[in-house]
Amino acid sequence: LLHDARHVTGRTGFDRAACAVLAPSARYYPCNETLRPLFYTGALWHAREFGRAPVLFLPQGNYPLKNLHTVIRALPAVRQQFPGAALHIAGWPPLDKGPLLRPIIDRMFPYKLYCKRLAAQLGVADALHYTGPLNAAAMRQAYLEADVFLLPSSCENSPNSLGEAMLLGLPCVASAAGGIPDMLQSGVQGMLYGAAGDDAALSAAILQLLALPDHGTALGTAAQIRARVTHDAAKNTAQMIEIYRKVLQREGTL
């Protein structure tokens, strides 16, 4: 479908490069993304005194692409310095319907079983807390109650969750995968680390952020300023309308 497209809109160098390979004859039109209205208004994130128990927030952990297993592997190093560190994960916890159904459920959800066993093996099972499904308001509150937002995905284009966290000013640690570096400048608006599956690099980035005297407030403020530009609803709407005008003009229907 993409190969046959004549016009493509995208948001990052990552998707533009993919378009150049997969649809080399298509015209490419950049246009940033507008996020859910709730994240443009209301209270912003404020640093709290977390002592030895910071809260790390992961927006998704149900499948390997999101790299919950890498966060679990990074937790022992984090807990060496912050013994009470907790990982809050948006979504359902691994199901457990008793010994009779457990083998069936384990076969249905092998990744969750793997993460559960890995956490137990590394002695960090008590650090994992699943929130259950969150609507926009509950998700917003989860961001505000965290100390660090984590996005260790092995592949992303322009993830909504990162944009939401940035709009709220929450300090972010993310992998440098896909289009993520186009959204956040490392060391200025948050922390990026290299290979998504490198748990040592992930724990180092988390610890570096947690050790900042302001607990990442300056990074979060810079991220919020940038996200306000990237996700400007009026600007993005005008840009999309202009893209449609150009497409109609080039197709000879305007």
Side-chain angles (χ1 to χ4, degrees):
L1 288 174
L2 183 58
H3 180 270
D4 294 335
R6 295 190 297 274
H7 306 275
V8 177
T9 181
R11 301 182 289 275
T12 70
F14 172 71
D15 68 42
R16 187 166 196 156
C19 179
V21 172
L22 299 172
S25 61
R27 288 182 179 269
Y28 182 92
Y29 307 85
C31 185
N32 285 318
E33 192 172 21
T34 299
L35 302 178
R36 294 181 285 184
L38 196 61
F39 293 90
Y40 291 86
T41 59
L44 298 177
W45 178 86
H46 292 285
R48 66 187 186 94
E49 289 298 327
F50 52 73
R52 293 159 65 84
V55 173
L56 315 176
F57 181 54
L58 186 70
Q60 164 68 272
N62 289 337
Y63 53 102
L65 180 74
K66 299 298 183 177
N67 266 340
L68 169 58
H69 57 285
T70 300
V71 182
I72 293 172
R73 291 195 186 106
L75 278 176
V78 174
R79 290 190 117 189
Q80 282 185 354
Q81 295 191 35
F82 298 93
L87 175 63
H88 290 190
I89 307 160
W92 289 114
L95 293 174
D96 193 343
K97 296 294 185 180
L100 290 178
L101 291 178
R102 193 170 295 142
I104 298 173
I105 292 172
D106 288 346
R107 284 197 298 272
M108 291 174 63
F109 304 101
Y111 180 64
K112 285 195 171 185
L113 174 63
Y114 170 72
C115 288
K116 181 180 178 180
R117 288 177 174 172
L118 179 63
Q121 175 188 339
L122 296 176
V124 296
D126 62 311
L128 275 57
H129 303 276
Y130 288 86
T131 66
L134 302 176
N135 61 21
M139 192 75 173
R140 191 184 198 285
Q141 189 61 33
Y143 289 121
L144 296 178
E145 292 175 355
D147 298 299
V148 180
F149 172 77
L150 300 181
L151 191 77
S153 302
S154 57
C155 185
E156 293 279 1
N157 186 29
S158 58
N160 289 10
S161 58
L162 178 60
E164 290 173 351
M166 292 174 67
L167 278 174
L168 296 178
L170 172 60
C172 301
V173 172
S175 65
I180 292 173
D182 285 1
M183 296 180 66
L184 182 150
Q185 184 179 356
S186 188
V188 178
Q189 296 139 359
M191 299 289 188
L192 298 184
Y193 70 100
D198 187 342
D199 56 274
L202 173 57
S203 62
I206 294 170
L207 291 171
Q208 184 180 354
L209 195 154
L210 292 175
L212 293 172
D214 67 351
H215 298 329
T217 298
L219 293 175
T221 299
Q224 200 260 347
I225 292 170
R226 177 165 181 174
R228 282 281 180 176
V229 175
T230 303
H231 305 293
D232 185 310
K235 179 181 174 183
N236 295 341
T237 298
Q239 181 68 20
M240 183 58 71
I241 291 172
E242 178 63 13
I243 289 170
Y244 276 111
R245 188 192 67 78
K246 288 179 179 178
V247 169
L248 291 171
Q249 189 176 52
R250 284 167 176 157
E251 292 291 328
T253 56
L254 185 65

